Every structure is written in C-alpha cells, then in structure tokens.
Amino acid sequence: SLMIEQNKNFFNGREGGEQTEEIERFSPATLGALEQRGRKLYTLTGKTIPQLSGEGVPISKEWVSHKDVDDEIGRLQSRRSQVAIEDIGALPENYTLFRSFNKSVPEQITMVKNASHQLQQDIPGAKMIIGNPVDYLELAWEVRKTTGRNLFQTESFIRFLSKLMRRKFKQYWFIRTDTPLESVRGSFAFAVTWYSEEFHISAWPRQEGNHIMGVFPLIVPAEQNSKSK
C-alpha cells in the first residue's frame, strides 16, 4: 500500500463550493418497498472532507505521501442523494460484502453490478452502486449519530469475518471504493475505515485483493426525474 505520513495542512482553510444541486430521492413506492425489506434510509448532502472535518467529524490527518493528494481528495464530494443500506448488524451471509474480500476492484465492480441487477428485478426504482470515499465517511457518521452504532465495528460482523477468514480478525476493516487515486503513479483506489476513534483514508492497488477490504454497496434511486430540493 502507499506510505502514510502526517499532513498538517490537509484540513486548514478548506471550503467546499456552493451546493446548488438537488437531492436525488426514491419515489414513495420504491421507498416503501425498501423499508418493507428492512433497508435503512439516509441522506447524503454533497459534502467535502474538509467540510465534514469542519463540522466535527473526526477524520485522521494522516494521508498518503504525495504533494497533490490532499488537493485531489479535498475536491471529492459525497453524492447528493438518499441512500438505503442493509442493517449491518443483521446482514445475510450471502450478502455481496462478505464475498467481496480478497477480490480486485474490477471483480468487486462486477459483483455489485450483478447484485444491482438482482435488486432491480425486485425493486425497479433502486440500484446498487459503489460509493466514493466521502459517501462512506458522511454515511458512517450519520449512522453513528442517529443509531450510536459503528458501521465498521459491529461485533457480530467482526465475528463473522473472523470465521470467514479463519483467523482472528482485526477490529477494523476497510470499505473499498472504485474511486481512482489519480495524482499518484500506478493504479490505486481509495478505501476508508475507522479505528482509534477516527476515520482513516487509504489507497490500495486496484488489481490486488486484500483480506480486510470489501465493498459495501449503496442503494440509490434509479428512477428518471428523481431529483428534488
């Protein structure tokens, strides 16, 4: 993986741009179908990492060692959309996340596309995607604020991963994204996690799997004309 070093200037004086885009929303019928199946609803609001940090979200200032990376990651925004997720404390054992560890990013993308196709057979107004790093940072913080639960450290999930990997699993794992790290030579993709009471961002080669990196699909609206203020 890329070397990590302290970057003291990453969050200083950074402001996001004007957020004038509308929020993508599920139709009432789709929302009802998702809620009936136990999915939990959250809203992402187009935030940047500097904005989240300024609002008190604990995001580590450690970052990969390259002068352009903090600018690149600082420009990323979460989507402006309602998102639905599985209850991570009660995930079925065949869920895409569990099967996505030790897979490359292209393999993980294919898995999520297949899961999305299956979802749309049941709920046409919804689809599954892989989010970007800021999607997962904002989402995990909302989950923590509203439920008190840690998206990354549910005990039952850690136990399952330990069983799956046939080893004692570390008390954290990474949500991997397909968002490329463009300012560093090579083919890397971002990943995020939580440990030591703060979020951390890392990157890993796209073509390599890792036993603590899986994809956590987001369910988002698939309807046309689904945006509203």
Side-chain angles (χ1 to χ4, degrees):
S1 64
L2 299 179
M3 294 298 295
I4 303 294
E5 69 171 20
Q6 190 74 11
N7 186 336
K8 297 180 180 179
N9 298 317
F10 178 51
F11 297 101
N12 294 344
R14 304 290 289 279
E15 296 291 339
E18 292 294 321
Q19 297 176 359
T20 57
E21 295 180 21
E22 299 171 337
I23 298 287
E24 288 190 71
R25 299 187 184 277
F26 295 107
S27 70
T30 297
L31 185 57
L34 290 168
E35 291 177 338
Q36 188 177 32
R37 290 158 179 78
R39 308 303 197 270
K40 307 300 181 184
L41 184 70
Y42 297 91
T43 301
L44 302 182
T45 58
K47 295 289 177 63
T48 64
I49 289 178
Q51 285 176 318
L52 290 173
S53 180
E55 293 173 7
V57 180
I59 304 172
S60 173
K61 294 181 181 181
E62 291 180 341
W63 188 231
V64 288
S65 177
H66 192 280
K67 62 183 178 61
D68 294 328
V69 171
D70 59 333
D71 290 326
E72 180 179 349
I73 190 69
R75 289 191 298 267
L76 290 175
Q77 285 181 282
S78 62
R79 65 188 56 249
R80 294 180 60 79
S81 174
Q82 290 182 320
V83 300
I85 61 172
E86 299 270 3
D87 179 355
I88 200 163
L91 285 171
E93 293 192 3
N94 65 347
Y95 190 58
T96 300
L97 172 60
F98 295 132
R99 296 181 289 110
S100 68
F101 290 87
N102 281 325
K103 299 285 196 304
S104 69
V105 169
E107 289 175 308
Q108 291 167 332
I109 290 172
T110 298
M111 294 179 76
V112 173
K113 284 182 178 178
N114 291 339
S116 183
H117 179 72
Q118 291 179 339
L119 173 68
Q120 290 196 289
Q121 302 303 304
D122 186 30
I123 309 176
K127 62 183 179 182
M128 282 185 179
I129 63 164
I130 298 173
N132 74 32
V134 199
D135 292 331
Y136 292 112
L137 293 174
E138 185 175 8
L139 172 64
W141 188 244
E142 286 302 310
V143 170
R144 193 177 180 88
K145 283 197 305 182
T146 57
T147 70
R149 303 180 75 175
N150 187 327
L151 193 63
F152 294 91
Q153 292 181 312
T154 303
E155 288 185 11
S156 60
F157 185 42
I158 295 295
R159 285 197 302 271
F160 180 87
L161 289 178
S162 296
K163 178 182 175 182
L164 183 71
M165 301 301 170
R166 296 176 182 167
R167 71 180 79 181
K168 187 173 181 180
F169 207 78
K170 295 181 179 180
Q171 288 302 300
Y172 65 90
W173 59 282
F174 285 85
I175 293 178
R176 200 174 194 185
T177 78
D178 62 350
T179 306
L181 177 54
E182 296 177 344
S183 56
V184 172
R185 180 176 295 178
S187 183
F188 293 87
F190 289 108
V192 297
T193 191
W194 169 278
Y195 62 88
S196 300
E197 297 304 309
E198 58 186 357
F199 293 109
H200 294 255
I201 308 167
S202 187
W204 193 258
R206 291 175 60 86
Q207 297 299 328
E208 295 182 14
N210 188 296
H211 75 281
I212 60 170
M213 289 187 177
V215 287
F216 186 62
L218 302 178
I219 301 171
V220 299
E223 298 101 342
Q224 297 294 321
N225 302 318
S226 60
K227 292 186 177 182
S228 63
K229 292 183 179 179

